[in-house]
Amino acid sequence: MHVAIIGAAGMVGRKLTERLVREGRLNGKDIETFTLIDVFQPESPAGFKGKVDARAADLSGPGEAEKLVSTRPDVIFHLAAIVSGEAELDFDKGYRINLDGTRYLFDAIRIANGQDGYKPRVVFTSSIAVFGAPLPYPIPDDFHTTPLTSYGTQKAISELLLSDYTRRGFFEGIGIRLPTICIRPGKPNAAASGFFSNILREPLVGLEAVLPVPETIRHWHASPRSAVGFLLHGATIDTNKVGPRRNLSMPGLSATVGEQIEALRKIAGEKAVSLIRREPNEMIMRMCEGWAPGFEATRARELGFTAETNFEEIIKVHIEDELGGLLK
Amino acid sequence: MHVAIIGAAGMVGRKLTERLVREGRLNGKDIETFTLIDVFQPESPAGFKGKVDARAADLSGPGEAEKLVSTRPDVIFHLAAIVSGEAELDFDKGYRINLDGTRYLFDAIRIANGQDGYKPRVVFTSSIAVFGAPLPYPIPDDFHTTPLTSYGTQKAISELLLSDYTRRGFFEGIGIRLPTICIRPGKPNAAASGFFSNILREPLVGLEAVLPVPETIRHWHASPRSAVGFLLHGATIDTNKVGPRRNLSMPGLSATVGEQIEALRKIAGEKAVSLIRREPNEMIMRMCEGWAPGFEATRARELGFTAETNFEEIIKVHIEDELGGLLK
């Protein structure tokens, strides 16, 4: 089993690699080879005995997709993307990386398929950004994709390509629409949605965090561990059960900011909650109103994708995976 | 007013040109210039006194989109496409013409917009092929686009680009999802859906036609005259009322084949109906089951798009526009 991960240096890419190394197997087969690609040099996974090709490469660069495909990975996880804010600021770069890069990959596989019948599983991370306001709650599985960002547009287009290339028999694609990942590990960042994680992650280690929106804001969350679980399930699921509609809104937890804070109170007490500083931000509030409040995700659940069912679980996952299981 | 029509030699393109020449004006302004482009040399419109540049060109060829945009048309109708069957047979050609050609046009406009603020109205013909079975009846406006052909995929992707380029302020786009055009003038062709027109058009002039499906098959129709009306309304509508969701399922008439035949009987009598020869075709029947039975089209109707409301009207439009108003 040869596994390729494009976007391996990102948060989800690193966690996916770690999990695959720990399990050593995918779909009942031993993993013998990893190809790890990212625009930043990915780390070689610790403790893996097999072959590793970890390298910095830009999939949208000439020949890069062909080079990857020439090694005939059995499973390709395509996680690489310019994030939403950058794709909005740099129109050309967003389309080049998020659309052209994806299409180059799909076309390189298509050509290899024509040469020798190569037909890998392709697991693609899409996003709830393919949906744009006004949005119902919960959003049904058959709701239209009308993105309000270039990033969401690029993801929605990639989804369509994935379905068509799969229907034509070039590869076995699965598109995974990830919820917002919470609690995102690391430092607070500039992303407008960062506060969903900040208000939990920072107080859990005794640090202050800023809440820019009212507690009534409702959003759609899943832990990093669930995100990795979605990708692994997407890599192993019987695609005959999925049929031609290959892009799935993943299950998640719909919760208000108030519910997030209540969960923090139960797990870490009043002292942690008191570290959340209210600092209303009009711009972030307006952006929030356009974000997805929650999904039915009926198809994905029926197909065996699972996520957390309450916010205490999400916080416990963070304490186990990021804080060594200990709360200070 | 400078009007450009890409795909001007096609059936809808020719009818649109004729109508614009007859009216002489668009959006309250005199039409001074036509640019008519198609892969086949378009005819210069009879009776037009202004400037005409009618030429054979392939929008997906190098420099062609830039050449068109350099003349700064005020309104661009983009009707050009490889049809469904051909896009399915020739994967590369379908993506090159239907996706890349469209993207080259949009990007040429984007670059011109950056140069001098050029911001034309772009009216794009999409298709109900962006929807794929299983489909509800009627299909609501917010139903997802899960095409089951490469043609439908290319149209759905072009729709997403149109919305994003419009949102970014590069042009004012409107995507028009045309119903199946009925009665399609001309000779019977090889298209699987051809019978919807054949069973009316041929008997109206005393010729036999083949019906390959049961009379219970329900489908979604509008006349060529309505199609031209949609495009003109799309070219003049106040886009502030449309908002960011720029791709609209047009109104139409949902009718069974049996209802079509009843309308023929009322207008042309039993003798015409007797010219329909039943010749069941399993392959066409299976294809039919995946086609859209009908749409709510609530948004389009509220925005002032109109179509026929019964099949007798559709037949009368054909008699007026194609048979000189006379039934033999």
Side-chain angles (χ1 to χ4, degrees):
Chain A
M1 168 70 68
H2 175 182
V3 175
I5 303 176
I6 306 162
M11 186 266 287
V12 174
R14 279 179 287 121
K15 286 188 177 288
L16 173 64
T17 309
E18 279 167 28
R19 172 90 173 263
L20 285 168
V21 168
R22 202 163 66 235
E23 299 194 349
R25 296 168 70 79
L26 182 63
N27 215 6
K29 291 186 191 122
D30 289 339
I31 300 172
E32 284 146 7
T33 309
F34 274 109
T35 301
L36 305 176
I37 289 177
D38 203 302
V39 288
F40 305 103
Q41 173 68 40
E43 283 179 42
S44 232
F48 180 67
K49 302 273 186 288
K51 198 180 146 205
V52 178
D53 178 12
R55 60 195 158 83
D58 174 357
L59 200 65
S60 69
E64 288 297 346
E66 290 76 6
K67 188 173 163 190
L68 169 65
V69 166
S70 72
T71 65
R72 301 290 191 267
D74 299 293
V75 177
I76 300 176
F77 293 96
H78 177 26
L79 322 178
I82 294 297
V83 297
S84 185
E86 193 174 357
E88 204 62 18
L89 285 174
D90 190 337
F91 185 91
D92 284 302
K93 188 174 178 186
Y95 273 89
R96 190 177 74 244
I97 305 279
N98 294 350
L99 174 51
D100 295 330
T102 300
R103 197 169 163 204
Y104 294 157
L105 172 66
F106 291 0
D107 272 332
I109 298 170
R110 175 170 71 92
I111 288 161
N113 175 273
Q115 288 164 351
D116 60 13
Y118 173 58
K119 194 172 177 177
R121 176 71 56 105
V122 176
V123 182
F124 170 68
T125 51
S126 188
S127 163
I128 56 176
V130 299
F131 299 99
L135 294 167
Y137 171 64
I139 299 169
D141 280 335
D142 60 7
F143 196 70
H144 59 173
T145 54
T146 58
L148 292 176
T149 58
S150 291
Y151 173 83
T153 301
Q154 292 143 12
K155 289 293 189 186
I157 292 174
S158 300
E159 286 190 358
L160 284 159
L161 292 172
L162 178 116
S163 284
D164 198 41
Y165 281 55
T166 294
R167 188 185 62 79
R168 303 283 291 228
F170 304 139
F171 55 68
E172 279 290 351
I174 292 282
I176 301 284
R177 289 184 192 137
L178 291 178
T180 291
I181 303 299
C182 191
I183 299 172
R184 214 185 154 80
K187 301 273 172 211
N189 66 25
S193 62
F195 69 86
F196 289 120
S197 285
N198 299 347
I199 60 167
L200 303 174
R201 185 190 57 238
E202 301 302 298
L204 283 172
V205 294
L207 298 172
E208 225 182 40
V210 170
L211 175 61
V213 303
E215 292 194 11
T216 50
I217 289 292
R218 177 176 286 283
H219 195 51
W220 185 239
H221 306 273
S223 72
R225 193 194 284 176
S226 285
V228 169
F230 299 152
L231 297 175
L232 292 179
H233 193 57
T236 54
I237 192 174
D238 177 358
T239 52
N240 290 319
K241 288 186 189 153
V242 183
R245 292 179 179 171
R246 289 301 176 107
N247 299 288
L248 301 166
S249 294
M250 288 294 109
L253 175 61
S254 175
T256 63
V257 170
E259 287 163 12
Q260 289 189 270
I261 295 173
E262 265 323 293
L264 178 67
R265 195 187 319 270
K266 280 190 194 151
I267 288 185
E270 200 57 44
K271 203 179 141 209
V273 171
S274 70
L275 290 165
I276 301 172
R277 187 156 48 82
R278 267 94 180 152
E279 208 172 88
N281 181 314
E282 282 291 336
M283 197 186 77
I284 294 178
M285 272 189 254
R286 269 199 308 276
M287 289 172 77
C288 265
E289 281 159 17
W291 295 342
F295 290 78
E296 286 182 354
T298 310
R299 281 195 70 215
R301 286 185 221 274
E302 285 174 359
L303 288 165
F305 293 90
T306 57
E308 291 80 13
T309 54
N310 65 66
F311 236 103
E312 289 165 72
E313 259 185 89
I314 287 185
I315 296 174
K316 282 177 188 159
V317 165
H318 180 77
I319 293 172
E320 285 175 23
D321 290 356
E322 305 296 331
L323 304 177
L326 296 170
L327 196 56
K328 280 180 200 167
Chain B
M1 169 69 70
H2 175 182
V3 175
I5 303 175
I6 306 162
M11 187 267 287
V12 175
R14 278 179 286 122
K15 287 188 176 286
L16 174 64
T17 308
E18 279 167 27
R19 172 90 173 262
L20 284 167
V21 167
R22 202 163 66 234
E23 300 194 350
R25 297 167 68 80
L26 182 62
N27 213 9
K29 292 186 192 119
D30 289 339
I31 300 172
E32 285 144 7
T33 309
F34 275 109
T35 301
L36 305 176
I37 289 176
D38 204 302
V39 287
F40 305 102
Q41 174 68 40
E43 283 178 41
S44 231
F48 180 67
K49 302 272 184 287
K51 198 181 147 205
V52 178
D53 178 13
R55 60 193 157 82
D58 174 356
L59 201 66
S60 69
E64 288 297 345
E66 290 76 7
K67 188 173 166 193
L68 169 65
V69 168
S70 72
T71 64
R72 301 288 191 268
D74 300 292
V75 177
I76 300 175
F77 293 96
H78 176 27
L79 321 178
I82 293 297
V83 297
S84 186
E86 193 175 357
E88 204 63 20
L89 285 175
D90 191 336
F91 185 91
D92 284 302
K93 188 174 179 188
Y95 272 89
R96 189 177 75 242
I97 305 279
N98 295 349
L99 174 50
D100 295 330
T102 300
R103 197 168 164 205
Y104 294 157
L105 172 66
F106 291 0
D107 272 332
I109 299 170
R110 175 170 71 92
I111 287 160
N113 174 274
Q115 287 164 352
D116 60 12
Y118 172 59
K119 194 171 176 177
R121 176 72 55 104
V122 176
V123 182
F124 169 68
T125 51
S126 187
S127 164
I128 56 176
V130 299
F131 300 99
L135 293 168
Y137 171 63
I139 299 169
D141 281 334
D142 60 7
F143 196 71
H144 60 173
T145 54
T146 57
L148 291 176
T149 58
S150 291
Y151 173 82
T153 301
Q154 291 144 13
K155 288 293 188 186
I157 291 174
S158 300
E159 286 190 358
L160 284 160
L161 292 172
L162 179 116
S163 283
D164 198 42
Y165 281 54
T166 295
R167 190 186 60 81
R168 303 284 292 229
F170 304 139
F171 56 69
E172 280 290 351
I174 291 282
I176 301 284
R177 288 183 193 139
L178 291 178
T180 290
I181 303 299
C182 190
I183 300 172
R184 216 186 152 79
K187 300 272 172 214
N189 66 26
S193 62
F195 70 86
F196 288 120
S197 285
N198 299 348
I199 59 167
L200 303 174
R201 186 191 56 238
E202 301 304 298
L204 282 171
V205 294
L207 298 173
E208 227 182 39
V210 170
L211 175 61
V213 304
E215 293 194 12
T216 50
I217 289 291
R218 177 175 286 284
H219 195 51
W220 185 238
H221 306 273
S223 73
R225 193 194 284 175
S226 286
V228 169
F230 299 152
L231 297 174
L232 292 179
H233 192 57
T236 54
I237 192 173
D238 177 359
T239 52
N240 291 317
K241 288 186 189 153
V242 183
R245 293 180 179 171
R246 289 300 177 107
N247 299 289
L248 300 166
S249 294
M250 288 295 108
L253 176 61
S254 175
T256 63
V257 169
E259 288 162 12
Q260 289 188 269
I261 294 173
E262 264 324 292
L264 178 67
R265 193 186 319 270
K266 280 188 194 152
I267 288 187
E270 200 55 45
K271 201 178 142 209
V273 171
S274 71
L275 290 165
I276 301 172
R277 187 157 49 81
R278 268 95 181 149
E279 208 172 88
N281 181 314
E282 281 292 337
M283 198 185 77
I284 294 178
M285 274 190 256
R286 269 198 309 277
M287 289 173 77
C288 264
E289 281 160 18
W291 296 342
F295 290 79
E296 286 183 354
T298 310
R299 283 197 69 214
R301 287 185 219 274
E302 285 173 1
L303 288 164
F305 292 90
T306 57
E308 290 81 14
T309 54
N310 65 66
F311 235 103
E312 288 165 73
E313 259 185 90
I314 288 185
I315 295 174
K316 282 176 187 159
V317 165
H318 179 79
I319 294 171
E320 285 174 25
D321 290 358
E322 305 296 332
L323 304 178
L326 295 171
L327 197 56
K328 280 177 203 169

